[in-house]
Amino acid sequence: MNAQPLVLHHYTSGTGLLGIFDSDSVWASLIHSQNDTKEFEHAIDEARTYLSTLRAADADAAHMAINLALSTSLDRIARLNIYVACFSAIEDSLSQWRGYCPPGFGYSLGLFGEELERVAGPQGFRLVKCIYDHAEQRPIIEQWAEYALQELRKTLPAGADPVQHVNDKCPLFFPGFAAFAPTMKDQAFRDECEWRLVGIVPSNDPRVRLRAGKSMLVPYVPIDLGLATNQSLVWNIRIGPTPNMELASNAATHFFRRARVRNGIGLSTIPYRDW
């Protein structure tokens, strides 16, 4: 039996949906601007906690100095320019309508995960599933910490300053940390069932732009979708709770001219009113 294809849903406002089709792209925002105030810092905090545990059990002065310097160096990882575009595996989610759509004016765009990954890959983005379970997060973080410590100890020259050694070598371990850290979220967000397109984009990359956020300007990078020619990407469009369901549905049929919507346009079935 063939497994069901992964369909991921991007929740946005009507303005946002128009922007996706007009620009032929989804926007990946700087990770620190997301609604989870502990974005990326969650993995850093967990790594520091584990490093502290290892440090307390180690009596070797050089080893302890390397451990502490590695823990301190995690601040440099936090400054990496990581961009994410967010999706949910849930098609008609009350928490998503509430969290990411304005009252009475929400839409979700369903995209095939495999095709989304194929399109975004050459642009420097990979598709990853978020991890909310601490029991699943910990072994990944611990493996990274133990490997980094082992390599730093092994390559420490005789008589060298351990702190300077870590400062020189720790960037070698940043990509490994940045590969998993954006997937780790606090378990309070588990209902979102989130998947992400994640990429590291330098600040001087010409793709980086600014958009208006709720309280600040937010850096973002457009990820081109190629909707005009790609007939395999869009699964459906769903209209969120609104007092104008029939009018909204009639208007949304215009999107059929912009892309092939494989499963058509549907309406939210959630009995929710926020207008």
Side-chain angles (χ1 to χ4, degrees), residues 133-204:
D133 189 343
H134 288 173
E136 189 177 350
Q137 294 173 357
R138 279 195 296 270
I140 299 172
I141 293 171
E142 291 174 4
Q143 182 180 18
W144 175 86
E146 290 170 3
Y147 172 75
L149 288 174
Q150 178 182 357
E151 291 299 309
L152 289 168
R153 293 168 180 170
K154 185 169 61 177
T155 57
L156 177 66
D161 177 13
V163 175
Q164 187 59 51
H165 175 65
V166 172
N167 289 339
D168 292 340
K169 296 295 185 181
C170 65
L172 297 174
F173 307 101
F174 288 176
F177 193 91
F180 64 75
T183 72
M184 296 187 175
K185 300 195 66 174
D186 190 276
Q187 57 188 354
F189 291 88
R190 67 168 60 249
D191 289 344
E192 293 186 345
C193 297
E194 185 177 338
W195 288 68
R196 294 177 155 184
L197 288 174
V198 179
I200 299 177
V201 182
S203 58
N204 62 352

Side-chain angles (χ1 to χ4, degrees), residues 206-217:
R207 293 177 295 170
V208 177
R209 305 174 189 176
L210 291 172
R211 63 175 177 84
K214 290 182 179 180
S215 59
M216 61 184 175
L217 295 176

